[in-house]
Amino acid sequence: MALARRSSNLLKPLSTASSSSSFLNRRPFSTDDSTTITIETSVPFTGHNCEPPSRSVDTTPKELMNFFTDMALMRRMEIAADSLYKSKLIRGFCHLYDGQEAVSIGMEAAITKKDCIITAYRDHCIFLGRGGTLLESFSELMGRQAGCSRGKGGSMHFYKKDACFFGGHGIVGAQVPLGCGLAFAQKYRKEDHVTFAMYGDGAANQGQLFEALNMAALWDLPAILVCENNHYGMGTAEWRAAKSPSYYKRGDYVPGLKVDGMDAFAVKQACKFAKEHALKNGPIILEMDTYRYHGHSMSDPGSTYRTRDEISGVRQERDPIERIRKLILAHDLATEKELKDIEKLARKEVDEAIAKAKESPMPDDPELFTNVYRKGFGVESFGTDRKEVRATLP
Amino acid sequence: MATNLKRFKEFGSIFINHTNLLRRFSSSSAVLSSVDAQLQPPTTGTGKSINLYTAINQALQIALDSDPRSYIFGEDVGFGGVFRCTTGLAEQFGKHRVFNTPLCEQGIVGFGIGLAAMGNRAIAEIQFADYIFPAFDQIVNEAAKFRYRSGNEFNCGGLTIRAPYGAVGHGGHYHSQSPEAFFCHVPGIKVVIPRSPKQAKGLLLSSIREPNPVVFFEPKWLYRLAVEEVPEGDYTLPLSEAEVIREGSDITLVGWGAQLSIMEQACIDAEKDGISCELIDLKTLIPWDKETVEASVRKTGRLLISHEAPVTGGFGAEISASIVERCFLRLEAPVARVCGLDTPFPLVFEPFYMPTKNKILDAIKDTVNY
């Protein structure tokens, strides 16, 4: 079957990585050491209309340990969100990020908090990567006041203005043209910052994506379009929905780079390269080859349109956290037990944040009417009928 | 302000009981359907008790079976769709007639217009009514005006756009909206919303066979919740014909879709207070059946309209204006509208936002005692 043949490709990248020379390079480091370690990315980058960057990425023991810690926390957060949803403490629509953590982690390692990020509705971990807290995340997920959108957004609408995170957007593909607007503002102000506009392989087929690409290229905007290709747009495999699933080439005149999105260092290298490129030459597409372990949303078991073998295969062969774990062990930066302890600590932090979030109250009733318009510029809102409830929107 | 909010609180707590009521009420095969059964005996076959999504599924199956030039397409419909409405159809009719599209609503509708213009029945699914807006241009500027601007040389009458609309209890901003009023401002298309499984099957078949493009909104809250006897065979229900589903003499209530079951409960409660309510299901929003509503208001002298969409600019405003024009001297109270509030559809505040039974009951009493 075509499906079986195609999905086996998902397992490819790490098989090259396991033979990577960096694993042989055992040297004892202390974790706060700033010694440079050079790591080879799992697979080479593939470029479209551009010369791809080198496979060798410099890192430090500290960064390696941070990658592991942060990704373990993200993974734990998403698993906890899954059970909170099942116990009906999270309502509405909820899309989990587990499996794709390396994209957020790698991207953050290459850029600053003055670079903008805008993404779709799979936004929990992007928020965390931008410096958001677990308490804000869980509070928002459960619709509490302590949430990052004060409980009014929910799972799909996380924002963090002080870290230039322009948030989670609910409509497939709609955030990408917005990203171009952000990039234009950055260019106009002559800032040396760029915008990462993230979307999925499903959204790559939306018409507005091509409108955004044209504008970005026409005006040389410092916009980096990050296609998180997790290979399924909801329940439809990429090759069933796209004539060309080579999303990095879909910009035609816009250069692109295909990246192993399960390898945080490949993502880091690509984002560093893309930022330099975008500031000099305008937009570029980064296609992150990644994978989501959960279904599209909580109502999708995630196993009807792909095999369980495929999921467990990716977990075994390409898992982004396992990859970092192997690197840490190979460089003797920590013992297996120490890494297990880090994961235990992540679990504890998550549990504490959930307990605290549960204590946060729901938003006050008048909040229903706030933020519809700017305060003081509002209009009257009417209730049951025009006589019954009447409030001037605060 | 303070008292108003207190009021909201009461509604909020009532809403919870009220959901249970709805559940009980719908699964015991609905008061709505009992009146309905008397008025419209099943046309063919014996009826089985089925829910709304199964009724939609049956209608689609019949549409594909009875016309070889009919096609179903949309996001994930090949696997049955997120609400299971297209389950089994791809297996039965083949992947050339029931197929998945990429995630591109504007493209889906544009494609459907072209398919329909070649004389086919194009049945497009937009996964949620909230996602229909990228296709708004295609519907408003292409589909609705095709016949007019070509001097009747071309049309896309075979196009039917299905989309689940409305609240579902916890859908939040982008899975709960009721955008029907936007489309009611567009001459050239028809907008149809069914209230129950039997209505859904008959109205959907009518919409598919209708020689004009139709936007067909399905109440997603009722997909599993509403169960009633539905004739197994092929039958259609007329468009642009409203139906009096409960007769009364003191006030006329007009609504559509999922809101009718809420209104029905308000009617039952009002009856306990000696108020006799007449309830009308509009079914087709444009072109709508003014005569049935007018006749009813002439009888009762009072009108209440209820919908989930925000009150300002909602279709209730159009009904209100038309009836005031026609029945000004007969009206004994201002027309009441019990609708969603003028805010975005909220997440945690859904119970406050919704036009619940008690809000309707209050408005019935206020109007009758005006």
Side-chain angles (χ1 to χ4, degrees):
Chain A
M1 253 306 279
L3 179 64
R5 193 181 68 239
R6 284 172 196 260
S7 55
S8 66
N9 286 345
L10 295 173
L11 302 180
K12 253 183 188 166
L14 205 79
S15 47
T16 352
S18 53
S19 63
S20 157
S21 59
S22 62
F23 282 93
L24 308 170
N25 214 2
R26 283 175 178 258
R27 268 199 302 151
F29 290 105
S30 110
T31 51
D32 45 350
D33 197 341
S34 57
T35 332
T36 309
I37 309 174
T38 306
I39 285 170
E40 188 120 309
T41 62
S42 56
V43 285
F45 299 100
T46 320
H48 166 71
N49 284 349
C50 72
E51 191 57 44
S54 140
R55 282 179 74 179
S56 303
V57 193
D58 286 344
T59 183
T60 60
K62 196 169 172 220
E63 186 177 64
L64 260 166
M65 293 305 290
N66 284 346
F67 277 12
F68 183 84
T69 312
D70 292 350
M71 283 201 277
L73 200 65
M74 286 177 176
R75 178 72 53 91
R76 188 62 218 163
M77 175 172 85
E78 295 299 65
I79 288 164
D82 184 37
S83 38
L84 284 174
Y85 194 93
K86 283 171 182 151
S87 54
K88 300 206 167 168
L89 280 160
I90 298 174
R91 305 307 307 268
F93 286 71
C94 182
H95 311 81
L96 301 179
Y97 201 71
D98 50 330
Q100 303 183 200
E101 296 94 341
V103 177
S104 166
I105 290 292
M107 193 166 67
E108 293 294 351
I111 63 176
T112 73
K113 297 288 186 282
K114 290 207 166 148
D115 294 309
C116 298
I117 296 182
I118 188 165
T119 186
Y121 38 78
R122 207 178 298 283
D123 60 350
H124 310 164
C125 293
I126 306 289
F127 173 74
L128 217 55
R130 288 265 93 178
T133 65
L134 286 170
L135 176 63
E136 287 171 303
S137 305
F138 283 115
S139 300
E140 193 56 47
L141 284 168
M142 295 191 282
R144 312 295 173 123
Q145 279 182 14
C148 51
S149 307
R150 295 193 293 150
K152 292 176 78 171
S155 160
M156 304 199 290
H157 310 289
F158 282 26
Y159 298 87
K160 189 167 172 58
K161 198 176 179 189
D162 56 12
C164 292
F165 177 44
F166 283 78
H169 292 254
I171 299 297
V172 168
Q175 73 283 3
V176 183
L178 272 65
C180 292
L182 302 178
F184 181 88
Q186 288 170 323
K187 188 182 165 95
Y188 193 85
R189 288 195 219 136
K190 298 195 164 61
E191 290 173 3
D192 279 339
H193 306 128
V194 297
T195 295
F196 287 78
M198 307 178 72
Y199 58 98
D201 48 305
N205 301 314
Q206 280 275 355
Q208 51 189 333
L209 205 102
F210 295 89
E211 299 177 24
L213 263 172
N214 182 45
M215 284 189 285
L218 188 65
W219 301 324
D220 295 328
L221 303 181
I224 294 154
L225 277 68
V226 182
C227 176
E228 288 184 278
N229 180 4
N230 59 27
H231 303 281
Y232 298 91
M234 298 193 291
T236 302
E238 52 171 351
W239 59 272
R240 291 181 195 268
K243 178 65 185 170
S244 159
S246 300
Y247 298 102
Y248 68 107
K249 290 184 187 165
R250 293 280 283 273
D252 183 16
Y253 42 80
V254 175
L257 196 65
K258 183 165 181 169
V259 185
D260 178 9
M262 303 297 265
D263 175 359
F265 288 105
V267 176
K268 179 186 160 191
Q269 181 83 330
C271 289
K272 192 167 154 259
F273 171 82
K275 185 174 172 178
E276 284 163 15
H277 174 98
L279 286 172
K280 231 181 342 187
N281 312 311
I284 180 168
I285 298 178
L286 297 181
E287 179 188 343
M288 304 289 183
D289 178 354
T290 182
Y291 200 81
R292 64 167 149 76
Y293 294 149
H294 267 91
H296 165 73
S297 71
M298 300 311 296
S299 50
D300 167 20
S303 51
T304 48
Y305 47 84
R306 53 185 191 178
T307 61
R308 287 189 192 285
D309 287 349
E310 179 186 302
I311 306 168
S312 57
V314 174
R315 271 186 194 278
Q316 275 165 21
E317 302 287 326
R318 297 183 56 202
D319 186 86
I321 301 182
E322 291 314 306
R323 187 182 156 77
I324 301 296
R325 190 195 307 272
K326 278 180 201 157
L327 283 169
I328 290 172
L329 295 175
H331 288 92
D332 284 337
L333 300 178
T335 63
E336 286 208 41
K337 188 181 170 298
E338 282 165 337
L339 295 181
K340 281 258 176 327
D341 287 345
I342 289 174
E343 287 172 311
K344 269 187 207 150
L345 191 67
R347 180 186 285 252
K348 193 167 152 258
E349 280 176 44
V350 164
D351 290 346
E352 283 168 2
I354 292 172
K356 219 165 164 200
K358 281 180 183 166
E359 283 168 21
S360 174
M362 296 281 180
D364 290 334
D365 296 347
E367 288 287 322
L368 170 59
F369 295 106
T370 60
N371 315 125
V372 180
Y373 295 99
R374 185 173 166 180
K375 199 171 176 176
F377 290 75
V379 293
E380 276 188 320
S381 175
F382 296 99
T384 62
D385 68 31
R386 293 209 163 238
K387 298 179 295 295
E388 286 293 311
V389 177
R390 192 168 180 161
T392 301
L393 294 177
Chain B
M1 182 84 185
T3 47
N4 289 343
L5 289 164
K6 194 168 155 261
R7 199 161 206 142
F8 271 135
K9 246 189 186 141
E10 286 161 23
F11 291 136
S13 58
I14 288 158
F15 181 83
I16 296 163
N17 300 330
H18 168 73
T19 332
N20 293 335
L21 243 174
L22 174 69
R23 202 176 291 272
R24 220 172 38 230
F25 165 81
S26 299
S27 55
S28 65
S29 127
V31 182
L32 294 179
S33 59
S34 62
V35 182
D36 184 44
Q38 291 159 16
L39 294 174
Q40 289 181 326
T43 36
T44 44
T46 47
K48 252 194 214 163
S49 271
I50 54 171
N51 60 20
L52 197 138
Y53 85 75
T54 314
I56 297 279
N57 184 267
Q58 282 187 6
L60 294 172
Q61 195 268 341
I62 291 167
L64 289 168
D65 200 36
S66 58
D67 186 348
R69 299 187 69 177
S70 49
Y71 305 85
I72 295 175
F73 48 91
E75 293 159 15
D76 285 356
V77 297
F79 313 125
V82 284
F83 291 106
R84 316 311 303 153
C85 290
T86 51
T87 304
L89 298 179
E91 288 79 3
Q92 192 181 347
F93 296 99
K95 289 179 176 169
H96 297 295
R97 293 184 63 199
V98 180
F99 48 91
N100 289 340
T101 60
L103 307 188
C104 50
E105 292 77 13
Q106 185 170 17
I108 293 171
V109 173
F111 169 85
I113 294 169
L115 188 61
M118 294 290 275
N120 300 293
R121 295 195 196 287
I123 308 166
E125 177 179 302
I126 300 295
Q127 200 169 58
F128 282 86
D130 311 65
Y131 309 164
I132 208 167
F133 298 108
F136 198 57
D137 176 58
Q138 286 290 340
I139 297 170
V140 174
N141 285 330
E142 300 302 321
K145 301 172 176 63
F146 208 174
R147 190 188 298 274
Y148 188 83
R149 70 178 131 86
S150 69
N152 205 28
E153 201 153 349
F154 285 100
N155 70 80
C156 57
L159 175 68
T160 305
I161 301 160
R162 297 176 42 242
Y165 87 98
V168 67
H170 56 271
H173 318 71
Y174 294 114
H175 296 87
S176 312
Q177 298 176 75
S178 301
E180 69 272 5
F182 292 106
F183 299 94
C184 292
H185 201 52
V186 187
I189 56 171
K190 296 193 173 186
V191 176
V192 180
I193 307 182
R195 71 168 184 273
S196 70
K198 189 173 151 193
Q199 291 289 317
K201 184 173 172 184
L203 288 171
L204 181 54
L205 278 166
S206 291
S207 300
I208 291 169
R209 291 165 183 168
E210 161 73 28
N212 293 294
V214 176
V215 180
F216 190 88
F217 289 117
E218 298 163 7
K220 71 169 92 68
W221 202 330
L222 302 187
Y223 270 139
R224 286 164 196 276
L225 216 55
V227 177
E228 72 174 335
E229 271 188 25
V230 176
E232 267 177 26
D234 186 347
Y235 68 99
T236 56
L237 295 172
L239 302 186
S240 292
E241 258 183 41
E243 182 187 333
V244 178
I245 53 177
R246 181 189 171 92
E247 290 194 21
S249 54
D250 295 330
I251 182 169
T252 301
L253 276 70
V254 176
W256 49 88
Q259 191 58 15
L260 284 164
S261 62
I262 314 287
M263 296 167 81
E264 174 96 24
Q265 294 164 58
C267 293
I268 293 167
D269 280 13
E271 197 165 35
K272 290 176 195 153
D273 291 334
I275 303 171
S276 162
C277 303
E278 180 146 310
L279 182 59
I280 297 178
D281 177 5
L282 207 54
K283 297 197 217 180
T284 304
L285 271 65
I286 51 162
W288 63 288
D289 182 357
K290 284 182 196 167
E291 286 65 33
T292 301
V293 179
E294 183 186 347
S296 174
V297 176
R298 284 199 183 283
K299 185 173 74 172
T300 62
R302 297 175 188 91
L303 175 63
L304 180 151
I305 307 146
S306 181
H307 55 67
E308 277 179 30
V311 61
T312 302
F315 196 62
E318 176 57 36
I319 298 173
S320 172
S322 301
I323 292 303
V324 169
E325 278 167 13
R326 290 175 170 225
C327 311
F328 183 65
L329 293 175
R330 180 66 189 91
L331 283 172
E332 296 181 27
V335 176
R337 287 182 290 159
V338 185
C339 306
L341 307 184
D342 286 336
T343 67
F345 197 101
L347 180 63
V348 290
F349 292 121
E350 182 172 325
F352 296 162
Y353 171 92
M354 293 290 281
T356 53
K357 182 193 73 175
N358 281 39
K359 289 182 185 175
I360 297 170
L361 190 59
D362 270 8
I364 290 174
K365 289 178 184 167
D366 281 358
T367 307
V368 170
N369 300 323
Y370 183 75

